[in-house]
Amino acid sequence: MKSLPQISEAEFEVMKIVWKHAPISTNEITDRLVKTTTWSPKTIQTLIKRLVTKGVLTYEKQSRVFVYTPLVGEDEYIGQESNSFLNRFYGGNISAMLSAYIDHDKLSETEIDTLRSLLSKDSKKGGT
């Protein structure tokens, strides 16, 4: 799997909008983010430009409007970030991570039941 560029929390907020609504114009991105953040339109445009420079977004000029589409899928990016977190804090050991969450009451009974269900489905399929 190719390594994807690191993006900041703010850039990630922009990407969530693009992933959900692409293709989407600069104005549409800005309109959505000014409602949910304290960012100025200029700040949002800077974040968009950074994402283009990092190769995460691409754009097409349609008359006088820039329309953006992602070059990186949401699942692909989140998967990389999850693996990075797992490797950084738990040496790649998912059992250690889950144990830490369970030991520190970070998982509810519902979440634990969901995990049991997922693991049960995986074992019925033959595991990985």
Side-chain angles (χ1 to χ4, degrees):
M1 177 168 123
K2 69 178 179 175
S3 182
L4 303 174
Q6 290 294 311
I7 62 174
S8 69
E9 288 293 320
E11 292 165 343
F12 185 69
E13 290 302 312
V14 174
M15 287 304 298
K16 288 193 297 188
I17 299 293
V18 175
W19 282 321
K20 187 172 184 179
H21 302 285
I24 186 169
S25 72
T26 308
N27 288 342
E28 291 170 315
I29 296 170
T30 302
D31 290 346
R32 290 177 185 280
L33 287 170
V34 295
K35 292 176 186 170
T36 59
T37 68
T38 58
W39 303 335
S40 72
K42 187 77 175 154
T43 298
I44 295 166
Q45 290 172 8
T46 299
L47 292 169
I48 293 168
K49 286 177 189 169
R50 284 186 196 161
L51 290 164
V52 170
T53 300
K54 290 180 178 186
V56 180
L57 281 183
T58 188
Y59 65 90
E60 184 178 292
K61 192 170 183 184
Q62 296 179 357
S63 58
R64 296 173 58 192
V65 177
F66 289 91
V67 177
Y68 296 88
T69 54
L71 290 172
V72 173
E74 183 175 15
D75 290 343
E76 182 183 11
Y77 186 77
I78 291 172
Q80 175 180 286
E81 288 301 300
S82 297
N83 286 335
S84 176
F85 174 84
L86 182 62
N87 287 328
R88 181 175 177 196
F89 294 103
Y90 297 97
N93 185 335
I94 196 162
S95 296
M97 182 187 79
L98 289 172
S99 291
Y101 275 77
I102 292 168
D103 291 345
H104 295 96
D105 296 322
K106 299 291 185 190
L107 295 177
S108 69
E109 285 301 317
T110 303
E111 290 167 323
I112 292 169
D113 289 342
T114 300
L115 286 171
R116 281 190 185 110
S117 175
L118 290 169
L119 291 170
S120 176
K121 281 186 209 174
D122 189 53
S123 66
K124 289 176 186 169
K125 286 193 251 176
T128 51

